[in-house]
Amino acid sequence: MVGALPGSTAELTIIILPIQILTMLEVNGLTKYYGDLCAVNDVGFRIDEGEFVTLLGPSGCGKTTLLHMIAGLREPTEGEVTLRSENVTNLPPEERNIGMAFQSTALFPHMTVRENIAYGLRMHGYDEEERHARVQEFLELVDLPNHDDHRPGELSGGQQQRVSLARALAYEPDILLLDEPLTGLDRVLREEMRQWLMTLQRELGVTSLYVTHDQEDALSMSDKVVVLDDGEIQQVDHPQAIYEQPVNDFVAEFVGKSMQFSGPIRNDGPRPFVDAGDTCVVLPNDSVSSDREEVSLYVRPEDVNIEAAQATADGGATTVAATEENAFPGTIEKVSNLGNRAEVTATLESGETALASTNRFPHLEVGDEVLVTFDSESVIVL
Ligand code: ADP
Ligand code: MG
């Protein structure tokens, strides 16, 4: 006889809990005046746990000031800093659990690497045994396991940056602040460090705010980019949106290169277009709101084609194709071969400058007559 086993009728209950994303850092209305100069004006954004956020902007736009206010190294004129839902605006730096690695790495030159890292741990209350274990662990993490007895002066720039990072990470900060850590490194090392830093950040899952004036850093590393100019936030978005859908002229011009036009929108053709002097640029289908008369247009170099113009029977270059949508005759000004691709500059007959990113080593030379084309859907209208 097959009887029911005790408990076999018990129902399995699965409780699905919503995944709670913790806001690690929030700044609100953060403002800093130095005398009459407003260095940071009413800045607000948030960073979720584990996110890698880049603060991108030109030199002097207020990035370091903003970072220092978050760290507690500078007092805001107005506004609030919240860390793990706690208002820390009035707490001194040592009472905020924040890790910092700055541009001019503030390693103590008279201390060894070990002492430098242990110093940060001591400040955060780790006892000697823990300090010893953690120094070793984090030196291994930054690939410098045998450098504990070196002094900073005996290390390369890149190695010093890694020690500085180990020091900032060893006490497990709520958030890691990095102020232009790759500035001053050469191109190859910079790229290597970028990759290394990203891997490390993802592995540790440490929430990070990375300050840079370098758009490549921002676009290649971040979950989210905060674009700052003149102390004010311009756009907060994913890297792709920052590049493909900039919200204003500053973002469009600061992040990436482009071909530019400006002029009034006209609706008296089969499709809306912009009358940019001697050039008419057909616009994307969904972009035109009739209440905006004067607009700026941007086309990214990856969306621009430059081809040698077809010769006509009488020896001249044809301009027939120029009557097509967004096709303009021009002359090559410059060909920059960059190895894996090339950047080609041409001057249009109407006077504008066209910039195209092409396949490597294109068969084009300065002075060649060309046809510059792009799809109307690739035009960014601002
Ligand atoms: P960034 O880091 O983006 O280069 P900063 O935050 O260092 O910008 O500087 C923002 C503005 O504030 C600049 O105009 C700079 O000259 C000014 N500034 C920065 N620190 C001070 C200071 N301690 N006293 C007066 N002005 C300052
Ligand atoms: Mg700075």
Side-chain angles (χ1 to χ4, degrees):
M1 190 184 102
V2 180
L5 291 170
S8 66
T9 54
E11 284 177 25
L12 183 63
T13 311
I14 299 175
I15 301 169
I16 299 173
L17 295 168
I19 298 171
Q20 198 110 40
I21 297 174
L22 178 78
T23 300
M24 190 57 90
L25 176 80
E26 189 165 349
V27 299
N28 275 309
L30 219 48
T31 300
K32 179 70 181 179
Y33 277 89
Y34 295 114
D36 287 342
L37 177 89
C38 184
V40 173
N41 188 17
D42 194 19
V43 164
F45 60 90
R46 30 180 284 192
I47 305 181
D48 288 335
E49 184 172 21
E51 259 191 322
F52 190 110
V53 174
T54 301
L55 188 59
L56 173 69
S59 175
C61 75
K63 303 183 295 296
T64 297
T65 301
L66 183 54
L67 215 61
H68 282 189
M69 289 193 286
I70 293 169
L73 299 168
R74 245 168 258 201
E75 197 184 333
T77 310
E78 263 180 69
E80 285 181 355
V81 180
T82 309
L83 198 59
R84 278 189 188 278
S85 308
E86 185 194 358
N87 185 339
V88 298
T89 317
N90 298 314
L91 292 183
E94 60 277 12
E95 285 176 37
R96 308 180 185 199
N97 192 22
I98 287 178
M100 291 176 283
F102 284 163
Q103 185 176 346
S104 47
T105 327
L107 291 175
F108 299 112
H110 58 284
M111 290 187 191
T112 63
V113 163
R114 164 175 298 284
E115 287 163 350
N116 264 285
I117 300 172
Y119 177 85
L121 287 162
R122 193 177 317 118
M123 297 300 288
H124 285 81
Y126 288 82
D127 66 29
E128 196 177 342
E129 196 178 328
E130 281 175 313
R131 290 205 294 270
H132 188 83
R134 282 190 166 255
V135 167
Q136 209 49 46
E137 183 188 340
F138 280 84
L139 277 178
E140 270 164 35
L141 192 76
V142 300
D143 301 330
L144 292 169
N146 302 316
H147 291 68
D148 52 335
D149 286 333
H150 290 60
R151 283 178 209 286
E154 297 163 344
L155 302 176
S156 71
Q159 288 173 327
Q160 289 184 34
Q161 291 288 10
R162 284 189 273 156
V163 173
S164 161
L165 258 177
R167 185 175 66 178
L169 289 167
Y171 52 83
E172 296 188 9
D174 286 336
I175 186 165
L176 177 67
L177 306 182
L178 300 148
D179 195 353
E180 315 231 15
L182 307 187
T183 299
L185 304 181
D186 68 50
R187 225 183 99 78
V188 175
L189 190 56
R190 196 182 171 89
E191 203 133 299
E192 214 176 274
M193 283 289 289
R194 216 185 249 157
Q195 197 53 49
W196 179 85
L197 201 57
M198 278 166 69
T199 310
L200 184 73
Q201 193 271 339
R202 303 282 194 266
E203 260 173 33
L204 296 177
V206 61
T207 312
S208 307
L209 179 57
Y210 180 99
V211 162
T212 184
H213 65 273
D214 185 299
Q215 42 147 318
E216 272 187 34
D217 280 0
L219 296 180
S220 64
M221 300 172 83
S222 334
D223 296 314
K224 199 162 82 187
V225 182
V226 177
V227 185
L228 198 68
D229 183 40
D230 215 5
E232 294 184 8
I233 288 192
Q234 306 295 311
Q235 187 168 0
V236 180
D237 236 319
H238 308 293
Q240 190 174 353
I242 296 280
Y243 190 75
E244 293 178 354
Q245 293 142 13
V247 295
N248 61 25
D249 291 312
F250 175 80
V251 179
E253 285 165 34
F254 188 69
V255 184
K257 298 175 182 173
S258 29
M259 187 173 171
Q260 298 181 23
F261 303 90
S262 63
I265 291 185
R266 299 254 311 260
N267 283 302
D268 52 346
R271 301 256 316 265
F273 64 96
V274 159
D275 181 358
D278 291 335
T279 315
C280 288
V281 181
V282 178
L283 302 180
N285 274 319
D286 61 352
S287 68
V288 186
S289 62
S290 52
D291 57 333
R292 298 172 58 232
E293 293 193 339
E294 187 82 13
V295 292
S296 307
L297 306 180
Y298 298 87
V299 190
R300 296 299 189 191
E302 306 77 45
D303 296 325
V304 176
N305 275 306
I306 293 189
E307 283 168 33
Q310 305 293 321
T312 54
D314 62 8
T318 182
T319 54
V320 175
T323 59
E324 286 172 11
E325 194 171 280
N326 298 335
F328 312 102
T331 309
I332 297 285
E333 285 298 326
K334 195 171 147 198
V335 179
S336 305
N337 285 305
L338 303 171
N340 57 349
R341 64 186 180 91
E343 270 182 13
V344 180
T345 312
T347 302
L348 303 187
E349 281 177 6
S350 50
E352 280 98 352
T353 301
L355 180 68
S357 178
T358 72
N359 285 339
R360 60 189 180 173
F361 304 104
H363 296 289
L364 294 169
E365 280 175 31
V366 174
D368 281 0
E369 298 202 38
V370 290
L371 193 65
V372 175
T373 56
F374 51 85
D375 190 329
S376 61
E377 289 303 317
S378 66
V379 179
I380 298 168
V381 183
L382 293 173

